[in-house]
Amino acid sequence: MLSCSQTGNNILLQWVPLSLEGVKNLRIMRQTNDDEPSLLTTVANQRGTYTDNRTTPETAYVYYVIAEMTDGRLIMVNNGVSVSRY
């Protein structure tokens, strides 16, 4: 569903659409250290990429995807993808 890689000073996120019926949007979240995850962007349920250009060297991040359903429910799609910026 979600892959992450460092590109220069940024983290590149790539994802594929969910086949789950009733998905309105995908929320891409980022957690740094023990902070609460924060929203980076909301995208349509289609293949896409996002460049996180607000990263710091020698910092680990965890990225999450949450499906926003048409009925208002939120469903956690992954358990978090970890990546470190060097």
Side-chain angles (χ1 to χ4, degrees), residues 4-76:
C4 304
S5 60
Q6 182 172 338
T7 58
N9 293 331
N10 305 311
I11 302 295
L12 176 65
L13 302 139
Q14 297 177 305
W15 60 87
V16 295
L18 295 177
S19 59
L20 184 64
E21 188 175 325
V23 177
K24 179 180 173 185
N25 292 309
L26 301 175
R27 294 182 184 185
I28 310 297
M29 311 287 289
R30 181 183 78 179
Q31 182 177 8
T32 307
N33 302 316
D34 292 328
D35 296 342
E36 288 293 317
S38 60
L39 180 65
L40 286 178
T41 188
T42 300
V43 297
N45 184 30
Q46 58 190 23
R47 179 177 301 274
T49 62
Y50 177 82
T51 301
D52 185 359
N53 59 8
R54 297 177 292 149
T55 61
T56 305
E58 307 203 11
T59 303
Y61 299 96
V62 180
Y63 293 91
Y64 300 94
V65 177
I66 298 173
E68 182 180 324
M69 307 304 286
T70 53
D71 65 5
R73 291 179 299 138
L74 300 176
I75 298 173
M76 181 72 75

